[in-house]
Amino acid sequence: FDSSKSSMTTAPDWNTGTSINVSGIPVQIYFTPYQSPQNWLALLKTQMTAARQSVYFNVYTFGTNTGIEQSLITRFNTGVDVAGVVEGDDQPANNTAYNNFQNAGIDVIRDNNVAGLLHHKFAVFDEGLATARVLTGSANWTTSANDINDENVIIIYSPELAQLFYQEFLMNFGVKAIRRNKIIHPPEGELIVYPAPAKEYAIFGID
């Protein structure tokens, strides 16, 4: 690696995150273990609290005693649309999270990809608004990802990128997405096609 070719002009502060601008798109980058001024799980909760309209997520695994589930339930109870997909394997933490979401009335399903894992760790905030953003990276929503593992977390403030992640969310959410008026707001009489661009199949619906 030739450091002289790097475009980074200042040394990043791994413990507080680094903000950069990529072709006009604000990006925040964090690496764990991450403790100060807030840990990464607190950072995730901050993004949830800031959501004005929606939070859609695909997450491999939830941790225990992180407070993330309660943060999502709290936002849902204030009128923010919350929906998600969790890995379908029998994981105690995921089972607990799934049951808590179901009991709260949140639309969450288990991934049905029997050939592989739902290994995503992303959330789309306020899709469709000018403030739409994506939180993604290698970190599961667990304390070990925050306190022990070497992980990365990236927040990208881009409505266009948020739309792409939203399409991936819809594809994994399956046909249930067509039935959710809160998720899909097409102009009257228009045809809904997703994911867009389609991979192996497309789902059509008319509102």
Side-chain angles (χ1 to χ4, degrees):
F1 174 71
D2 185 353
S3 62
S4 65
K5 295 180 181 180
S6 173
S7 60
M8 183 72 75
T9 56
T10 58
D13 186 341
W14 306 129
N15 234 25
T16 60
T18 299
S19 297
I20 62 174
N21 191 289
V22 181
S23 300
I25 298 174
V27 178
Q28 294 175 316
I29 305 169
Y30 302 84
F31 294 91
T32 68
Y34 174 59
Q35 297 297 332
S36 176
Q38 60 179 348
N39 63 35
W40 116 253
L41 292 173
L43 175 74
L44 177 57
K45 293 174 191 176
T46 297
Q47 288 295 322
M48 292 175 179
T49 300
R52 294 166 49 198
Q53 177 174 284
S54 59
V55 181
Y56 304 131
F57 61 86
N58 276 192
V59 176
Y60 173 66
T61 186
F62 280 83
T64 57
N65 302 317
T66 63
I68 298 301
E69 297 158 42
Q70 188 55 52
S71 293
L72 285 168
I73 291 170
T74 297
R75 296 311 291 148
F76 175 75
N77 289 337
T78 62
V80 171
D81 191 32
V82 178
V85 185
V86 298
E87 165 55 29
D89 282 357
D90 187 19
Q91 302 179 34
N94 274 5
N95 293 339
T96 299
Y98 176 83
N99 291 333
N100 289 341
F101 291 139
Q102 289 285 308
N103 291 337
I106 293 177
D107 235 344
V108 172
I109 65 169
R110 300 178 190 272
D111 179 55
N112 61 2
N113 178 9
V114 295
L117 300 174
L118 180 112
H119 213 239
H120 285 313
K121 299 100 176 174
F122 75 76
V124 180
F125 300 95
D126 293 333
E127 190 280 324
L129 300 183
T131 55
R133 58 210 178 275
V134 174
L135 183 148
T136 188
S138 67
N140 284 309
W141 295 7
T142 63
T143 53
S144 59
N146 182 81
D147 298 338
I148 301 172
N149 301 339
D150 294 314
E151 307 276 8
N152 66 81
V153 179
I154 302 174
I155 305 174
I156 308 167
Y157 294 81
S158 166
E160 293 79 12
L161 190 65
Q163 172 61 210
L164 291 176
F165 274 81
Y166 177 62
Q167 294 293 339
E168 174 68 4
F169 161 75
L170 288 180
M171 184 178 74
N172 291 327
F173 205 67
V175 295
K176 193 172 185 182
I178 288 232
R179 305 190 194 108
R180 299 190 74 248
N181 292 330
K182 286 185 178 180
I183 286 187
I184 297 173
H185 302 275
E188 185 175 354
E190 286 200 359
L191 182 68
I192 309 162
V193 182
Y194 75 91
K199 295 179 182 179
E200 297 177 355
Y201 65 89
I203 298 175
F204 299 86
I206 300 176
D207 189 14

